[in-house]
mmCIF file of all heavy atoms in Angstrom:
data_model
loop_
_atom_site.group_PDB
_atom_site.id
_atom_site.type_symbol
_atom_site.label_atom_id
_atom_site.label_comp_id
_atom_site.label_asym_id
_atom_site.label_seq_id
_atom_site.Cartn_x
_atom_site.Cartn_y
_atom_site.Cartn_z
ATOM 1 N N ASP V 1 90.280 104.420 93.142
ATOM 2 C CA ASP V 1 88.860 104.346 92.762
ATOM 3 C C ASP V 1 88.439 105.509 91.980
ATOM 4 O O ASP V 1 87.627 105.533 90.950
ATOM 5 C CB ASP V 1 88.085 104.083 93.908
ATOM 6 C CG ASP V 1 88.328 102.750 94.724
ATOM 7 O OD1 ASP V 1 88.867 101.921 94.052
ATOM 8 O OD2 ASP V 1 87.950 102.647 95.834
ATOM 9 N N TRP V 2 88.981 106.788 92.347
ATOM 10 C CA TRP V 2 88.603 107.980 91.708
ATOM 11 C C TRP V 2 89.101 108.003 90.246
ATOM 12 O O TRP V 2 88.524 108.366 89.267
ATOM 13 C CB TRP V 2 89.120 109.114 92.447
ATOM 14 C CG TRP V 2 88.660 110.512 91.922
ATOM 15 C CD1 TRP V 2 87.550 111.143 92.156
ATOM 16 C CD2 TRP V 2 89.376 111.291 90.893
ATOM 17 N NE1 TRP V 2 87.510 112.325 91.332
ATOM 18 C CE2 TRP V 2 88.597 112.427 90.582
ATOM 19 C CE3 TRP V 2 90.657 111.078 90.180
ATOM 20 C CZ2 TRP V 2 89.022 113.384 89.678
ATOM 21 C CZ3 TRP V 2 91.002 112.110 89.382
ATOM 22 C CH2 TRP V 2 90.178 113.217 89.078
ATOM 23 N N LEU V 3 90.346 107.617 90.088
ATOM 24 C CA LEU V 3 90.946 107.456 88.826
ATOM 25 C C LEU V 3 90.272 106.414 88.046
ATOM 26 O O LEU V 3 90.090 106.764 86.783
ATOM 27 C CB LEU V 3 92.457 107.078 88.932
ATOM 28 C CG LEU V 3 93.412 108.230 89.510
ATOM 29 C CD1 LEU V 3 94.801 107.623 89.793
ATOM 30 C CD2 LEU V 3 93.502 109.381 88.664
ATOM 31 N N LYS V 4 89.858 105.333 88.477
ATOM 32 C CA LYS V 4 89.210 104.312 87.768
ATOM 33 C C LYS V 4 87.790 104.806 87.312
ATOM 34 O O LYS V 4 87.367 104.632 86.138
ATOM 35 C CB LYS V 4 89.058 103.088 88.642
ATOM 36 C CG LYS V 4 88.888 101.844 88.008
ATOM 37 C CD LYS V 4 88.837 100.736 89.035
ATOM 38 C CE LYS V 4 88.836 99.353 88.508
ATOM 39 N NZ LYS V 4 88.784 98.347 89.622
ATOM 40 N N GLN V 5 87.138 105.503 88.221
ATOM 41 C CA GLN V 5 85.737 106.023 87.849
ATOM 42 C C GLN V 5 85.872 107.041 86.765
ATOM 43 O O GLN V 5 84.921 107.150 85.912
ATOM 44 C CB GLN V 5 85.313 106.689 89.118
ATOM 45 C CG GLN V 5 83.943 107.345 88.891
ATOM 46 C CD GLN V 5 83.352 108.016 90.349
ATOM 47 O OE1 GLN V 5 84.223 108.047 91.325
ATOM 48 N NE2 GLN V 5 82.297 108.512 90.357
ATOM 49 N N HIS V 6 86.963 107.792 86.719
ATOM 50 C CA HIS V 6 87.146 108.802 85.642
ATOM 51 C C HIS V 6 87.933 108.309 84.427
ATOM 52 O O HIS V 6 88.466 109.075 83.591
ATOM 53 C CB HIS V 6 87.668 110.073 86.163
ATOM 54 C CG HIS V 6 86.818 110.846 87.121
ATOM 55 N ND1 HIS V 6 86.766 110.524 88.446
ATOM 56 C CD2 HIS V 6 85.953 111.791 86.899
ATOM 57 C CE1 HIS V 6 85.772 111.203 88.973
ATOM 58 N NE2 HIS V 6 85.253 112.109 88.081
ATOM 59 N N SER V 7 87.925 107.020 84.223
ATOM 60 C CA SER V 7 88.698 106.356 83.225
ATOM 61 C C SER V 7 90.146 106.915 82.909
ATOM 62 O O SER V 7 90.537 106.899 81.801
ATOM 63 C CB SER V 7 87.868 106.416 81.860
ATOM 64 O OG SER V 7 86.649 105.916 82.046
ATOM 65 N N CYS V 8 90.743 107.184 84.012
ATOM 66 C CA CYS V 8 92.154 107.650 83.916
ATOM 67 C C CYS V 8 93.058 106.471 83.922
ATOM 68 O O CYS V 8 93.229 105.873 85.007
ATOM 69 C CB CYS V 8 92.574 108.712 84.986
ATOM 70 S SG CYS V 8 94.120 109.448 84.928
ATOM 71 N N ARG V 9 93.733 106.323 82.779
ATOM 72 C CA ARG V 9 94.688 105.004 82.814
ATOM 73 C C ARG V 9 96.104 105.485 82.847
ATOM 74 O O ARG V 9 97.001 104.693 83.051
ATOM 75 C CB ARG V 9 94.493 104.300 81.545
ATOM 76 C CG ARG V 9 93.026 103.766 81.355
ATOM 77 C CD ARG V 9 92.710 102.658 82.123
ATOM 78 N NE ARG V 9 93.653 101.413 81.956
ATOM 79 C CZ ARG V 9 93.997 100.692 82.957
ATOM 80 N NH1 ARG V 9 93.627 100.867 84.134
ATOM 81 N NH2 ARG V 9 94.953 99.793 82.739
ATOM 82 N N GLU V 10 96.500 106.756 82.721
ATOM 83 C CA GLU V 10 97.756 107.263 82.660
ATOM 84 C C GLU V 10 98.036 108.135 83.922
ATOM 85 O O GLU V 10 97.296 109.030 84.261
ATOM 86 C CB GLU V 10 98.128 108.111 81.424
ATOM 87 C CG GLU V 10 98.093 107.368 80.167
ATOM 88 C CD GLU V 10 99.272 106.477 79.981
ATOM 89 O OE1 GLU V 10 100.380 106.857 80.447
ATOM 90 O OE2 GLU V 10 99.094 105.408 79.467
ATOM 91 N N VAL V 11 99.093 107.768 84.688
ATOM 92 C CA VAL V 11 99.540 108.613 85.691
ATOM 93 C C VAL V 11 100.903 108.962 85.735
ATOM 94 O O VAL V 11 101.669 108.070 85.451
ATOM 95 C CB VAL V 11 99.181 107.862 87.185
ATOM 96 C CG1 VAL V 11 99.682 108.587 88.364
ATOM 97 C CG2 VAL V 11 97.667 107.599 87.340
ATOM 98 N N CYS V 12 101.303 110.114 85.994
ATOM 99 C CA CYS V 12 102.765 110.527 86.041
ATOM 100 C C CYS V 12 102.831 111.289 87.323
ATOM 101 O O CYS V 12 102.201 112.138 87.716
ATOM 102 C CB CYS V 12 102.981 111.512 84.756
ATOM 103 S SG CYS V 12 104.633 111.983 84.677
ATOM 104 N N MET V 13 103.998 110.926 88.013
ATOM 105 C CA MET V 13 104.417 111.559 89.239
ATOM 106 C C MET V 13 105.869 111.639 89.470
ATOM 107 O O MET V 13 106.574 110.855 88.808
ATOM 108 C CB MET V 13 103.695 110.851 90.503
ATOM 109 C CG MET V 13 104.218 109.403 90.531
ATOM 110 S SD MET V 13 103.222 108.665 91.989
ATOM 111 C CE MET V 13 103.740 106.937 91.740
ATOM 112 N N GLU V 14 106.220 112.569 90.284
ATOM 113 C CA GLU V 14 107.715 112.634 90.566
ATOM 114 C C GLU V 14 108.156 111.678 91.573
ATOM 115 O O GLU V 14 107.375 111.318 92.454
ATOM 116 C CB GLU V 14 108.030 114.079 90.969
ATOM 117 C CG GLU V 14 108.149 115.007 89.865
ATOM 118 C CD GLU V 14 108.575 116.405 90.508
ATOM 119 O OE1 GLU V 14 108.573 116.681 91.708
ATOM 120 O OE2 GLU V 14 108.984 117.248 89.622
ATOM 121 N N SER V 15 109.354 111.147 91.479
ATOM 122 C CA SER V 15 109.845 110.114 92.558
ATOM 123 C C SER V 15 110.584 111.089 93.515
ATOM 124 O O SER V 15 111.770 111.260 93.556
ATOM 125 C CB SER V 15 110.729 109.207 92.018
ATOM 126 O OG SER V 15 111.887 109.820 91.231
ATOM 127 N N THR V 16 109.741 111.614 94.537
ATOM 128 C CA THR V 16 110.368 112.423 95.524
ATOM 129 C C THR V 16 110.569 111.604 96.858
ATOM 130 O O THR V 16 109.618 111.070 97.355
ATOM 131 C CB THR V 16 109.438 113.609 95.947
ATOM 132 O OG1 THR V 16 109.220 114.326 94.676
ATOM 133 C CG2 THR V 16 110.177 114.591 96.842
ATOM 134 N N GLY V 17 111.780 111.404 97.341
ATOM 135 C CA GLY V 17 112.014 110.603 98.424
ATOM 136 C C GLY V 17 111.350 109.236 98.237
ATOM 137 O O GLY V 17 111.756 108.522 97.294
ATOM 138 N N LYS V 18 110.864 108.827 99.358
ATOM 139 C CA LYS V 18 110.055 107.445 99.385
ATOM 140 C C LYS V 18 108.592 107.717 99.319
ATOM 141 O O LYS V 18 107.737 106.732 99.413
ATOM 142 C CB LYS V 18 110.458 106.725 100.496
ATOM 143 C CG LYS V 18 111.892 106.264 100.523
ATOM 144 C CD LYS V 18 112.071 104.918 101.361
ATOM 145 C CE LYS V 18 113.533 104.506 101.229
ATOM 146 N NZ LYS V 18 113.716 103.408 100.363
ATOM 147 N N TYR V 19 108.148 108.948 99.194
ATOM 148 C CA TYR V 19 106.660 109.286 99.163
ATOM 149 C C TYR V 19 105.924 108.765 98.025
ATOM 150 O O TYR V 19 104.757 108.476 98.079
ATOM 151 C CB TYR V 19 106.498 110.708 99.336
ATOM 152 C CG TYR V 19 107.137 111.377 100.473
ATOM 153 C CD1 TYR V 19 108.166 112.234 100.483
ATOM 154 C CD2 TYR V 19 106.604 111.074 101.821
ATOM 155 C CE1 TYR V 19 108.807 112.725 101.497
ATOM 156 C CE2 TYR V 19 107.308 111.557 102.908
ATOM 157 C CZ TYR V 19 108.309 112.451 102.827
ATOM 158 O OH TYR V 19 108.940 112.984 103.845
ATOM 159 N N TRP V 20 106.560 108.421 96.837
ATOM 160 C CA TRP V 20 105.954 108.037 95.656
ATOM 161 C C TRP V 20 105.628 106.505 95.786
ATOM 162 O O TRP V 20 104.634 106.022 95.045
ATOM 163 C CB TRP V 20 106.758 108.212 94.426
ATOM 164 C CG TRP V 20 108.052 107.557 94.444
ATOM 165 C CD1 TRP V 20 109.267 107.928 95.008
ATOM 166 C CD2 TRP V 20 108.375 106.238 93.845
ATOM 167 N NE1 TRP V 20 110.288 106.968 94.873
ATOM 168 C CE2 TRP V 20 109.718 105.936 94.206
ATOM 169 C CE3 TRP V 20 107.567 105.235 93.166
ATOM 170 C CZ2 TRP V 20 110.280 104.843 93.753
ATOM 171 C CZ3 TRP V 20 108.215 104.170 92.751
ATOM 172 C CH2 TRP V 20 109.465 103.833 93.122
ATOM 173 N N ILE V 21 106.328 105.688 96.571
ATOM 174 C CA ILE V 21 106.254 104.267 96.551
ATOM 175 C C ILE V 21 104.868 103.660 96.937
ATOM 176 O O ILE V 21 104.338 102.906 96.262
ATOM 177 C CB ILE V 21 107.328 103.683 97.491
ATOM 178 C CG1 ILE V 21 108.768 104.026 96.818
ATOM 179 C CG2 ILE V 21 107.165 102.158 97.663
ATOM 180 C CD1 ILE V 21 109.894 103.681 97.757
ATOM 181 N N PRO V 22 104.242 104.250 98.131
ATOM 182 C CA PRO V 22 102.875 103.702 98.407
ATOM 183 C C PRO V 22 101.899 104.079 97.377
ATOM 184 O O PRO V 22 100.966 103.205 97.034
ATOM 185 C CB PRO V 22 102.596 104.370 99.800
ATOM 186 C CG PRO V 22 103.674 105.305 100.012
ATOM 187 C CD PRO V 22 104.767 105.121 99.126
ATOM 188 N N VAL V 23 102.132 105.205 96.683
ATOM 189 C CA VAL V 23 101.090 105.596 95.718
ATOM 190 C C VAL V 23 101.325 104.656 94.477
ATOM 191 O O VAL V 23 100.297 104.111 93.843
ATOM 192 C CB VAL V 23 101.279 107.070 95.231
ATOM 193 C CG1 VAL V 23 100.392 107.520 94.130
ATOM 194 C CG2 VAL V 23 101.064 108.030 96.483
ATOM 195 N N PHE V 24 102.516 104.415 94.188
ATOM 196 C CA PHE V 24 102.857 103.602 93.038
ATOM 197 C C PHE V 24 102.301 102.158 93.284
ATOM 198 O O PHE V 24 101.704 101.520 92.391
ATOM 199 C CB PHE V 24 104.402 103.530 92.778
ATOM 200 C CG PHE V 24 104.771 102.591 91.618
ATOM 201 C CD1 PHE V 24 104.737 103.147 90.424
ATOM 202 C CD2 PHE V 24 105.109 101.223 91.812
ATOM 203 C CE1 PHE V 24 105.089 102.199 89.226
ATOM 204 C CE2 PHE V 24 105.492 100.422 90.893
ATOM 205 C CZ PHE V 24 105.412 101.009 89.533
ATOM 206 N N ASN V 25 102.537 101.577 94.514
ATOM 207 C CA ASN V 25 102.101 100.314 94.861
ATOM 208 C C ASN V 25 100.593 100.180 94.627
ATOM 209 O O ASN V 25 100.094 99.033 94.239
ATOM 210 C CB ASN V 25 102.517 99.903 96.210
ATOM 211 C CG ASN V 25 103.982 99.697 96.420
ATOM 212 O OD1 ASN V 25 104.660 99.443 95.357
ATOM 213 N ND2 ASN V 25 104.491 99.787 97.548
ATOM 214 N N ILE V 26 99.772 101.171 94.909
ATOM 215 C CA ILE V 26 98.379 100.949 94.893
ATOM 216 C C ILE V 26 97.916 101.074 93.292
ATOM 217 O O ILE V 26 97.009 100.575 92.932
ATOM 218 C CB ILE V 26 97.593 102.098 95.796
ATOM 219 C CG1 ILE V 26 97.835 101.578 97.292
ATOM 220 C CG2 ILE V 26 96.237 102.268 95.447
ATOM 221 C CD1 ILE V 26 97.284 102.432 98.263
ATOM 222 N N LEU V 27 98.660 102.049 92.700
ATOM 223 C CA LEU V 27 98.130 102.326 91.326
ATOM 224 C C LEU V 27 98.736 101.461 90.270
ATOM 225 O O LEU V 27 98.175 101.353 89.065
ATOM 226 C CB LEU V 27 98.503 103.815 90.894
ATOM 227 C CG LEU V 27 97.829 104.908 91.792
ATOM 228 C CD1 LEU V 27 98.280 106.285 91.369
ATOM 229 C CD2 LEU V 27 96.267 104.776 91.702
ATOM 230 N N GLU V 28 99.875 100.674 90.495
ATOM 231 C CA GLU V 28 100.506 99.939 89.410
ATOM 232 C C GLU V 28 99.620 98.868 88.695
ATOM 233 O O GLU V 28 99.811 98.587 87.546
ATOM 234 C CB GLU V 28 101.753 99.367 90.023
ATOM 235 C CG GLU V 28 101.661 98.202 90.898
ATOM 236 C CD GLU V 28 102.985 97.599 91.186
ATOM 237 O OE1 GLU V 28 103.836 97.432 90.287
ATOM 238 O OE2 GLU V 28 103.086 97.169 92.341
ATOM 239 N N THR V 29 98.551 98.402 89.425
ATOM 240 C CA THR V 29 97.803 97.358 88.902
ATOM 241 C C THR V 29 96.724 97.867 87.983
ATOM 242 O O THR V 29 96.161 97.198 87.129
ATOM 243 C CB THR V 29 97.198 96.353 89.878
ATOM 244 O OG1 THR V 29 96.432 97.159 90.827
ATOM 245 C CG2 THR V 29 98.268 95.625 90.679
ATOM 246 N N GLU V 30 96.268 99.084 88.262
ATOM 247 C CA GLU V 30 95.183 99.693 87.557
ATOM 248 C C GLU V 30 95.524 100.817 86.489
ATOM 249 O O GLU V 30 94.669 100.994 85.559
ATOM 250 C CB GLU V 30 94.316 100.447 88.551
ATOM 251 C CG GLU V 30 93.693 99.556 89.625
ATOM 252 C CD GLU V 30 92.709 98.609 89.157
ATOM 253 O OE1 GLU V 30 91.993 98.865 88.163
ATOM 254 O OE2 GLU V 30 92.628 97.510 89.708
ATOM 255 N N CYS V 31 96.651 101.295 86.595
ATOM 256 C CA CYS V 31 97.084 102.399 85.766
ATOM 257 C C CYS V 31 98.477 102.164 85.162
ATOM 258 O O CYS V 31 99.306 101.446 85.656
ATOM 259 C CB CYS V 31 97.101 103.788 86.479
ATOM 260 S SG CYS V 31 95.530 104.274 87.293
ATOM 261 N N ASN V 32 98.692 102.867 84.029
ATOM 262 C CA ASN V 32 100.095 102.905 83.593
ATOM 263 C C ASN V 32 100.839 104.107 84.316
ATOM 264 O O ASN V 32 100.542 105.278 84.006
ATOM 265 C CB ASN V 32 100.152 103.297 82.021
ATOM 266 C CG ASN V 32 101.439 103.223 81.522
ATOM 267 O OD1 ASN V 32 102.463 102.731 82.059
ATOM 268 N ND2 ASN V 32 101.633 103.809 80.399
ATOM 269 N N VAL V 33 101.588 103.760 85.246
ATOM 270 C CA VAL V 33 102.286 104.780 86.121
ATOM 271 C C VAL V 33 103.610 105.119 85.581
ATOM 272 O O VAL V 33 104.463 104.356 85.451
ATOM 273 C CB VAL V 33 102.251 104.285 87.600
ATOM 274 C CG1 VAL V 33 102.883 105.415 88.454
ATOM 275 C CG2 VAL V 33 100.943 103.821 88.079
ATOM 276 N N CYS V 34 103.756 106.443 85.325
ATOM 277 C CA CYS V 34 105.095 106.949 84.867
ATOM 278 C C CYS V 34 105.680 107.625 86.102
ATOM 279 O O CYS V 34 105.205 108.575 86.627
ATOM 280 C CB CYS V 34 105.076 107.904 83.716
ATOM 281 S SG CYS V 34 106.478 108.667 83.223
ATOM 282 N N VAL V 35 106.835 107.089 86.621
ATOM 283 C CA VAL V 35 107.632 107.773 87.772
ATOM 284 C C VAL V 35 108.786 108.595 87.181
ATOM 285 O O VAL V 35 109.584 107.837 86.559
ATOM 286 C CB VAL V 35 108.034 106.556 88.660
ATOM 287 C CG1 VAL V 35 108.728 107.259 89.906
ATOM 288 C CG2 VAL V 35 106.835 105.817 89.180
ATOM 289 N N ALA V 36 108.799 109.856 87.337
ATOM 290 C CA ALA V 36 109.680 110.707 86.740
ATOM 291 C C ALA V 36 110.729 111.134 87.741
ATOM 292 O O ALA V 36 110.343 111.410 88.856
ATOM 293 C CB ALA V 36 109.011 111.856 86.125
ATOM 294 N N ASN V 37 112.000 111.138 87.384
ATOM 295 C CA ASN V 37 112.947 111.619 88.218
ATOM 296 C C ASN V 37 112.888 113.224 88.174
ATOM 297 O O ASN V 37 112.818 113.881 87.052
ATOM 298 C CB ASN V 37 114.457 111.264 87.707
ATOM 299 C CG ASN V 37 115.590 111.702 88.495
ATOM 300 O OD1 ASN V 37 115.480 112.658 89.260
ATOM 301 N ND2 ASN V 37 116.560 110.862 88.543
ATOM 302 N N PRO V 38 112.822 113.871 89.424
ATOM 303 C CA PRO V 38 112.653 115.326 89.346
ATOM 304 C C PRO V 38 113.670 116.094 88.572
ATOM 305 O O PRO V 38 113.412 117.160 87.961
ATOM 306 C CB PRO V 38 112.668 115.725 90.784
ATOM 307 C CG PRO V 38 112.359 114.457 91.692
ATOM 308 C CD PRO V 38 112.800 113.315 90.689
#
């Protein structure tokens, strides 16, 4: 909701362990999510 409110359409995060998965699952419909290999 915060990202949406601030018109943030691009998100980039590292894929560390399995911690990125729940974040990706929530953001994938609203943002263009780039998951980067550390």
Side-chain angles (χ1 to χ4, degrees):
D1 295 342
W2 185 89
L3 291 169
K4 205 175 187 183
Q5 180 184 0
H6 288 86
S7 303
C8 182
R9 301 286 304 141
E10 294 289 324
V11 173
C12 185
M13 62 182 168
E14 283 185 343
S15 60
T16 307
K18 293 203 175 259
Y19 300 112
W20 64 273
I21 297 172
V23 178
F24 179 85
N25 288 339
I26 287 176
L27 297 179
E28 75 176 318
T29 58
E30 299 292 330
C31 302
N32 179 23
V33 183
C34 175
V35 179
N37 187 325

